[in-house]
Amino acid sequence: MSAPSQKHRQVTNFAIFLGPAILLLFLFFIAPVIVDIGISFTDLGRDLQFHKVTTANFERMVTRDSRLTKTLGITFLYVLGTLAFFNVTFGLILSLATTNVPDKLGAFFRSVWLLPRMSPSVVYALMWIWMIDPTERGLINQVLSFAGIPEFDMMNQAPLMLIILVNGFIGASMGMIIFTSAIRSIPEHLFFAARVDGAGFWSIIWYITLPSIRWPLSFITVYQTLSLMVSFEYIWLITNGGPFYDTTVFALYVYKRAFENGQYAYGAALALILVTLGILASLLMWRFMDMKRMLQDPRIEVH
Amino acid sequence: MARIELRNVSKVWDNVVALEPTNLSVADGEFVAVLGPSGCGKSTTLFILAGIYAPSKGEVLFDDQVVNDVEPRDRNIGIVFQSYALYPHMNIRDNIRFPLKFKKTEKEEAMRLVEESAKLVHIEEFLDRKPSQLSGGQQQRVALARALVKEPQLLLLDEPLSNLDATLRMSMRSEIKTLQQRLKITTILVTHDQLEAITMADRIICMSRGKIEQIGSPKDLYENPSSLFVASFIGAPPINLLEGVASQEKLNLNKGSIILNHAHQGKLTLGIRPENIKITKDIQGIKSRVGLVEPMGRETLYVLETTIGELRALVPESAPQWGQGEDIFCQFEKESCLFFDTETEKLVSNLRLVAIE
Ligand SMILES: Nc1ncnc2c1ncn2[C@@H]1O[C@H](COP(=O)(O)OP(=O)(O)OP(=O)(O)O)[C@@H](O)[C@H]1O
Ligand SMILES: [Mg+2]
C-alpha cells in the first residue's frame, strides 16, 4: 500500500474508532463545563436574563459564603464514611462472605443485597423515612422499644449517620459484585497452594485474595468517590439537606442555590468547585493508585 | 517421611466418577509415579492425598493414622501443581518463603533456607523477580523449591517437568531423583510421560478412567502388563496388537494363524513388542514384506505387512538392515508374546505361543 493511502487509512481509522467517543466526551463533559464556566461569569438569575459579565459570583464564594466550607466538610465526612464503612469495606466483606459459603447460598445473599439497588429510589427513600420515623411507628424504634431502649430520632440526632447508611446500603452492592467476580477469577490452585503451605482462613484472605483483587479495589474506591461526590438523590428525598444544613452535601448545595433559590450564575460558579474537585480526585488517584496501569491491562491477577 | 495408604478411597463429582474405589499403599521413602492419560484421575488422587479434596468415601492414612479430617496445612506435605500455582503478586523469594511464614521460622533461618532450596533447583538469580517474569520451566522450578523448602514428609508432584525442554527435563529428572534419595521423602509423581515414570520411580501406578490398572516396577509393567491398556500405554514405539479368534489350540489372525499351548475359545488379542520381533531371510516364521522404514538413531523401525496383519519391528543398528519392498520372514520371541481377552481386555496369563503355522 502506498504511503499517502496508508496515512488516509490512519485518519479514517482514527475517525471511525475514536470519533464517537470524542464526540460524546465533548457533548457530555467538555461542552457543559464550558457552558458552566460561561454562566459563572454572568449574573443569570430567576429571570433567565444575562445583564452583565462579572466576577461577583467568585467574590461571593470566597468572601461571603459561610455555608460553603461547612458544606464541604460535610461532603468530606459523607464520602469518606460511606466509602470506608460501606461501598468498599462492606462490599468486600459481603463478597468474601458470599464466596466462602456454598454457591447457592452466596448467590441468594448477593441478590438480597442487590434489591435496594433495583427498587425505584423513591420507594427506597420512603422505606427509610418509615424506618427512621421518630415515633413508635418507625421500624427502628419498634425494634428498639422491643429491646427496651428509648426512642431514637436518627434524622435529628445523627443525620450524617443516616445519609451514610442510606447510601451505603445501596452502594455496597456494586463493590460486592465487582469483588465477587474478581475473587471468582482467582485460580483455584492458588488457594490450594496456600492451604497446603499452611495458611488459614484469614491468612488466605490477607496474602492471596486481597493482593489479587487490589486493582478492582482501587477501581471501586476511585469510582465510588467520584460518584458519591456528585450524587444527592437519596439525601434530597429523605432529609432534603436538613435538619438545618446538617446533611447538605456539596452537590445538593449547588442544586439548592441554583434551582431552589434561582441563583443560576452562582450555582454555576459553585459547580466549578465540584468539577475541579472531581478532576483533582481523579488525578490524585491516578497518581497514588496507579490508575494508569489499571486502565491499561486487564488487572485481575491471574496467569 | 511417611507411609501413605488409601483404603477404598473414591471421589465422585456430582455425577462424574473421578476416582473409583481405590486401594494403595506407598512405603516410607518410596518414589512412586502415577501414570495415565489425561483425565484419568491423577490430579484428583493427588489432591485427596493433600487433603484439598475430601474423598467421597474411604480413608486416607498417613503412618497408620486416618487423616481424612486433617487440614492440608497440618499434613506436612509439599506439592507442585500442574499449573505451578505461584503467587503472582509475590516475588520468587516471597513465594518460596511463604510456607515458612506459617512454620514461624526465624527470619534469618528462613532466608537461608530459601537461598538453599533456590540453589537446589538453580533459580537463585531470579529471587527478586515476579513469577510472570519467568519462563514456564523456571516457574516450575520455583514451585519445586517452594514445595521442598519446608522439608515435607510427603512430596506430591503434579507433572512438574511438563514445561521443560528435553535437556533440562533430563537433568531435572535425575536431580529430583537424587534429591529424593538423599532426603528420603516419600514422593508421588504424577505424569503422563512414561519415560519420566520409568526412569524416576521405584514403582509405577498405571491409571485409566478413574481406576488403578496395575501397580508394579517399571520392568513389571513393561514385561507383564495385566491389561491391554497397560500394555498399549507403556512402551514406545507401542506394542503390536493383533485381534483374532481362538478355537482349540489355534488362534486365527487375519489370513494366518498361530498355535497356542492351551485350548482357548473366543476372541483374543496378541501383543508383541516391536523389539521382540526378529527379521530374517530364513524361510521360517511369518511371511512378510517390508513397508515403511523409519530410522530412529540407534534402531530402525520397520513396518511389516504380514499374513497375520501389520506389525512394527525394532531392529538394532548392529543387526542386518532391510530395504523397502523386500520379502522377509519375521519371528517372535515366544516368551514375550502376550495374550489378552479381547472382551475383558485382561491378560490371559497361562497362554503361550507354541508355533507359527
Ligand atoms: N472440580 C471438578 N468438578 C467436576 N469434575 C472434575 C473436577 N475435577 C476433576 N474432575 C473430573 O475428574 C476427572 C479426573 O480429573 P483429574 O484432574 O484428576 O485428571 P488428570 O488425570 O489429572 O488429568 P490431566 O493429565 O489432564 O491433568 C476428569 O474427568 C475431570 O473432568
Ligand atoms: Mg491433572
Side-chain angles (χ1 to χ4, degrees), chain B residues 56-309:
Chain B
S56 303
K57 289 223 172 67
E59 290 171 332
V60 181
L61 293 94
F62 282 19
D63 289 330
D64 299 321
Q65 302 280 312
V66 177
V67 292
N68 284 34
D69 297 324
V70 177
E71 282 290 312
R73 60 176 158 159
D74 300 321
R75 292 192 184 194
N76 194 16
I77 45 184
I79 178 163
V80 173
F81 289 85
Q82 207 168 356
S83 60
Y84 330 135
L86 300 180
Y87 310 119
H89 47 277
M90 297 180 200
N91 66 20
I92 302 306
R93 189 186 310 276
D94 291 342
N95 259 284
I96 302 177
R97 189 165 60 130
F98 195 69
L100 299 177
K101 239 188 195 112
F102 303 100
K103 286 182 90 181
K104 309 262 179 296
T105 312
E106 296 259 326
K107 187 154 186 227
E108 268 141 49
E109 171 71 357
M111 282 306 173
R112 195 184 60 75
L113 288 171
V114 168
E115 299 273 341
E116 205 171 82
S117 52
K119 275 214 188 75
L120 217 56
V121 293
H122 311 295
I123 46 159
E124 59 271 35
E125 71 259 49
F126 306 129
L127 283 177
D128 294 313
R129 291 207 207 163
K130 287 278 180 71
S132 59
Q133 294 165 321
L134 298 188
S135 73
Q138 290 162 344
Q139 291 186 33
Q140 245 165 3
R141 284 181 280 156
V142 175
L144 194 57
R146 183 179 67 184
L148 286 171
V149 75
K150 61 179 165 186
E151 294 170 6
Q153 58 168 345
L154 173 62
L155 187 60
L156 303 172
L157 308 171
D158 200 346
E159 313 211 5
L161 307 178
S162 59
N163 266 309
L164 306 182
D165 61 58
T167 340
L168 195 54
R169 182 182 309 206
M170 206 127 75
S171 72
M172 285 295 291
R173 249 192 234 146
S174 51
E175 269 171 56
I176 293 181
K177 178 84 187 154
T178 324
L179 205 70
Q180 190 270 340
Q181 282 173 344
R182 200 177 82 217
L183 305 176
K184 297 199 170 51
I185 308 177
T186 312
T187 302
I188 299 179
L189 168 88
V190 160
T191 177
H192 53 232
D193 177 352
Q194 47 168 313
L195 199 60
E196 204 167 291
I198 290 168
T199 51
M200 293 170 80
D202 304 323
R203 273 196 308 158
I204 296 177
I205 300 164
C206 193
M207 285 184 77
S208 135
R209 281 186 255 126
K211 266 209 324 258
I212 293 186
E213 288 276 335
Q214 192 175 359
I215 304 179
S217 68
K219 195 168 137 69
D220 242 9
L221 261 56
Y222 191 77
E223 290 174 1
N224 303 306
S226 65
S227 66
L228 268 177
F229 174 82
V230 179
S232 55
F233 194 72
I234 292 180
I239 191 168
N240 292 294
L241 294 172
L242 297 170
E243 282 182 27
V245 183
S247 80
Q248 298 307 325
E249 267 106 37
K250 193 162 159 181
L251 173 59
N252 293 306
L253 296 160
N254 253 317
K255 290 184 219 96
S257 62
I258 57 176
I259 305 295
L260 303 172
N261 60 341
H262 282 294
H264 192 90
Q265 219 60 33
K267 292 186 183 167
L268 278 181
T269 302
L270 162 69
I272 173 96
R273 299 217 175 261
E275 64 271 29
N276 298 331
I277 298 177
K278 217 173 99 194
I279 302 178
T280 67
K281 273 281 184 193
D282 308 341
I283 308 177
Q284 196 183 64
I286 307 159
K287 193 165 158 26
S288 324
R289 169 169 295 164
V290 178
L292 273 181
V293 180
E294 292 177 34
M296 294 177 46
R298 228 165 287 163
E299 289 144 335
T300 312
L301 183 70
Y302 291 96
V303 180
L304 309 173
E305 284 137 31
T306 74
T307 48
I308 59 169

Side-chain angles (χ1 to χ4, degrees), chain A residues 189-256:
Chain A
H189 284 181
L190 288 190
F191 295 115
F192 292 169
R195 281 171 63 195
V196 170
D197 283 346
F201 180 78
W202 297 108
S203 305
I204 287 179
I205 289 178
W206 183 250
Y207 290 111
I208 310 296
T209 315
L210 289 183
S212 302
I213 65 168
R214 69 178 187 278
W215 300 104
L217 265 175
S218 19
F219 167 72
I220 287 294
T221 311
V222 173
Y223 181 88
Q224 296 279 3
T225 306
L226 295 176
S227 93
L228 281 172
M229 246 164 45
V230 297
S231 67
F232 57 85
E233 171 184 19
Y234 299 106
I235 304 174
W236 185 64
L237 284 168
I238 293 171
T239 69
N240 192 19
F244 192 49
Y245 275 94
D246 285 357
T247 56
T248 304
V249 293
F250 191 71
L252 180 57
Y253 182 62
V254 176
Y255 169 82
K256 285 187 159 188

Side-chain angles (χ1 to χ4, degrees), chain B residues 13 16 18 36-45 53 82 158-159 192:
Chain B
W13 298 104
V16 189
S38 189
C40 70
K42 305 184 296 290
S43 298
T44 305
T45 312
Y53 293 163
Q82 207 168 356
D158 200 346
E159 313 211 5
H192 53 232

